């Protein structure tokens, strides 16, 4: 009998559960681990969901015609035209990504660092991840030259890489790979006959509209699959809806057919009421556009405020250009952390912050880094308030960092980091 594939809990979800237990036990904790966006549902979307509550039939495996047309329009407004017949809906972009890995087959190139589930999903699909580092300040996209070398070595060793996964913008770093890097990646994928799976769920959360991430589908349209969803831009993680855009051409149609077949065997169809609300959201009426713009401003203000606390004590940090994530590197503090706290790697650093200070975040090892690296992923998306009233106020505030509950969290971060870094280092 074949041994079962080892399955571990998602690092983000596991950290969230630990923090929730500690909070229920009465401990004071600061949650900077999970990436769920802590914002309320836009009322217009809540109303659309309620109006569609009587839609209880399975419907099309690929998604309703209305949703697929709306998603196609969403991508077309971003310069990526697509036939609605090549759009596939799923119960979240996460299962869609897994189904895509199954549909493409073969081993999977993943960037380092990268989202916690890419490598895990490759293993669950019976493949092996091939780790390739990213370029400084350009997270989410493997270094194109290193990619060529890694794929050549893998094939020489008898492996079968067929796919490369990228994230634009990036989780965990909050950075955006430049157009030149994306174009070189697309050329490498074409030369190596790799399918590109581009996870673009954060594309609406780039702070400067002129700085928008460029999709590899612009440079290699015949071999790029694009996925997105409503989890991040509209804070609808619990609604579970994602969409995939398949390329037009023989490869795209082949992957599309396999993807729909896999979906038919795993989830049958996505919840119909959620599809109805999502079709409205992807149509981008004025209230949706305004909500996303407000969320983007809020993310930028808070993540930049928290980033300043980390750089103030000497941690290195690439400028955050999107999302609610930052990825500080404590390498400049290595000697101090070792001498004073006995910390020599990211896991020990994360454990110290959690156990001594009640601050939950994730070590770089969760994102594919070596145990020696002193990098951690910080998510600021749970700092916006404990009630919907506070969160709506944060969305509308001119300077959300001055709201008492957000200021208390950023002050706590500064206090913890000052104690961690020790005397003699600046704290503000």
């Amino acid at each position: 009998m074949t041994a079962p594939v080892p399955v571990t809990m998602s690092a983000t979800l596991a950290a969230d559960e630990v923090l929730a237990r500690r909070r229920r036990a009465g401990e004071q904790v600061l949650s900077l681990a999970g990436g769920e966006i802590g914002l309320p549902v836009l009322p217009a979307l809540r109303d659309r969901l309620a109006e569609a509550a009587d839609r209880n039939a399975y419907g099309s495996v690929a998604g309703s015609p209305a949703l697929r047309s709306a998603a196609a329009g969403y991508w077309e407004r971003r310069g990526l035209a697509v036939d609605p017949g090549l759009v596939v809906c799923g119960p979240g972009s996460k299962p869609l990504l897994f189904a895509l890995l199954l549909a493409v087959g073969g081993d999977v190139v993943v960037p380092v660092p990268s989202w916690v589930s890419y490598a895990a999903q490759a293993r669950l699909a019976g493949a092996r991840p091939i780790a390739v580092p990213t370029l400084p300040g350009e997270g989410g996209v493997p270094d194109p030259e290193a990619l060529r070398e890694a794929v050549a070595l893998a094939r020489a060793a008898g492996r079968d890489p067929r796919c490369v996964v990228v994230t634009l913008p990036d989780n965990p770093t909050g950075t955006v790979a430049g157009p030149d890097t994306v174009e070189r990646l697309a050329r490498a994928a074409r030369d190596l006959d790799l399918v590109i799976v581009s996870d673009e769920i954060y594309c609406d959360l780039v702070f400067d509209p002129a700085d928008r991430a460029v999709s590899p589908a612009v440079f290699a349209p015949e071999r790029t699959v694009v996925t997105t969803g409503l989890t991040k831009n509209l804070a609808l993680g619990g609604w579970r809806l994602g969409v995939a855009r398949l390329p037009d051409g023989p490869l795209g149609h082949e992957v599309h057919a396999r993807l729909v077949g896999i979906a038919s065997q795993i989830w049958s169809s996505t919840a119909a009421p959620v599809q109805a609300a999502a079709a409205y959201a992807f149509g981008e009426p004025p209230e949706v556009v305004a909500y996303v713009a407000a969320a983007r401003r809020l993310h930028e203000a808070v993540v930049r405020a928290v980033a300043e606390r980390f750089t103030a004590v000497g941690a290195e940090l690439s400028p955050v250009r999107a999302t609610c994530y930052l990825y500080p590197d404590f390498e400049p503090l290595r000697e101090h952390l070792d001498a004073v706290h006995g910390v020599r790697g990211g896991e020990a650093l994360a454990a110290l912050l959690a156990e001594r200070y009640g601050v939950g975040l994730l070590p770089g090892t969760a994102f594919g880094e070596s145990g020696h690296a002193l990098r951690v992923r910080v998510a600021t998306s749970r700092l916006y308030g404990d009630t919907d009233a506070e969160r709506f106020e944060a969305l509308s505030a001119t300077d959300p960092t001055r709201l008492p509950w957000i200021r208390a969290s950023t002050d706590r971060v500064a206090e913890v980091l000052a104690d961690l870094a020790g005397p003699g280092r600046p704290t503000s």
Side-chain angles (χ1 to χ4, degrees):
M1 176 182 288
T2 303
V5 176
V7 180
T8 58
M9 183 78 165
S10 162
T12 50
L13 299 180
D16 281 346
E17 287 195 2
V18 170
L19 291 170
R21 285 198 299 269
R22 293 180 64 176
R23 187 176 289 110
R24 287 194 297 269
E27 296 182 47
Q28 183 181 8
V29 297
L30 186 61
S31 179
L32 300 173
E36 183 172 5
I37 308 300
L39 290 173
V41 176
L42 178 66
L45 293 179
R46 181 190 59 211
D47 294 343
R48 294 305 186 287
L49 184 70
E51 290 167 4
D54 60 350
R55 301 189 186 185
N56 61 343
Y58 283 126
S60 169
V61 173
S64 72
L67 172 58
R68 288 185 281 115
S69 293
Y74 169 90
W75 273 308
E76 186 170 3
R77 289 188 292 277
R78 287 153 180 79
L80 301 177
V82 61
D83 178 353
L86 289 170
V87 174
V88 177
C89 166
S93 62
K94 194 171 186 176
L96 266 177
L97 287 164
F98 179 56
L100 279 164
L101 297 186
L102 289 171
V104 173
D107 290 334
V108 182
V109 177
V110 297
V112 176
S114 64
W115 180 53
V116 299
S117 289
Y118 295 145
Q121 288 191 347
R123 294 186 186 98
L124 287 171
R128 286 183 289 177
I130 299 169
V132 176
T134 60
L135 294 167
E138 296 192 83
V141 173
D143 176 347
E145 297 311 312
L147 168 70
R148 290 179 183 272
E149 182 178 354
V151 170
L153 289 172
R155 286 176 174 163
R159 296 177 63 179
D160 183 25
R162 299 185 204 171
C163 173
V164 54
V165 180
V166 303
T167 316
L168 288 155
D170 182 43
N171 171 12
T173 66
T175 61
V176 182
D180 176 67
T181 298
V182 176
E183 184 176 11
R184 290 191 295 119
L185 171 97
R187 285 202 302 268
R190 184 177 286 125
D191 293 344
L192 297 166
D193 193 24
L194 297 176
V195 175
I196 303 170
V197 176
S198 186
D199 181 353
E200 300 180 14
I201 199 165
Y202 297 99
C203 76
D204 293 334
L205 298 182
V206 177
F207 303 146
D208 182 352
D211 197 28
R212 183 180 292 277
V214 179
S215 174
V218 171
F219 304 111
E222 80 287 358
R223 63 181 54 251
T224 302
V225 180
V226 179
T227 65
T228 191
L230 306 179
T231 298
K232 305 303 179 181
N233 62 347
L234 286 167
L236 295 174
W239 288 22
R240 307 312 303 141
L241 183 130
V243 285
R245 172 193 181 275
L246 281 297
D248 201 355
L251 184 150
H253 285 269
E254 182 181 348
V255 173
H256 176 272
R258 288 203 294 267
L259 176 62
V260 173
I262 291 166
S264 74
Q265 300 292 356
I266 297 177
W267 61 76
S268 299
S269 64
T270 304
V274 175
Q275 289 191 58
Y280 181 80
F282 279 120
E284 298 186 289
E287 61 269 31
V288 167
V289 172
Y291 182 99
V292 173
R296 187 165 53 239
R297 289 192 298 270
L298 173 59
H299 294 321
E300 179 179 13
V302 177
V303 80
R304 290 200 190 285
V306 173
E308 288 173 2
R309 274 58 177 181
F310 280 87
T311 56
V313 299
E316 293 179 342
L317 184 64
S318 295
V320 179
R321 295 164 54 194
T323 78
C324 52
Y325 305 122
L326 51 148
Y327 199 63
D329 187 349
F330 284 81
E331 184 61 34
L333 284 73
R334 178 174 292 279
E335 290 185 7
H336 172 80
L337 292 174
D338 187 1
V340 176
H341 303 290
V343 166
R344 299 180 180 86
E347 292 186 0
L349 177 58
L352 175 68
L353 287 165
E355 293 163 11
R356 180 177 298 180
Y357 302 103
V359 175
L361 39 70
L362 294 180
T365 51
F367 305 92
E369 298 272 17
S370 74
H372 181 73
L374 282 170
R375 299 184 184 95
V376 292
R377 203 285 303 269
V378 180
T380 61
S381 52
R382 297 282 186 85
L383 305 183
Y384 304 147
D386 293 329
T387 66
D388 278 356
E390 288 181 346
R391 294 165 185 152
F392 273 122
E393 187 172 352
L395 275 170
S396 62
T398 303
D399 182 1
T401 64
R402 300 183 67 178
L403 294 172
W405 53 94
I406 294 178
R407 184 56 186 261
S409 294
T410 56
D411 285 350
R412 177 60 180 159
V413 170
E415 178 184 83
V416 167
L417 292 174
D419 190 68
L420 181 74
R425 292 187 177 273
T427 59
S428 62

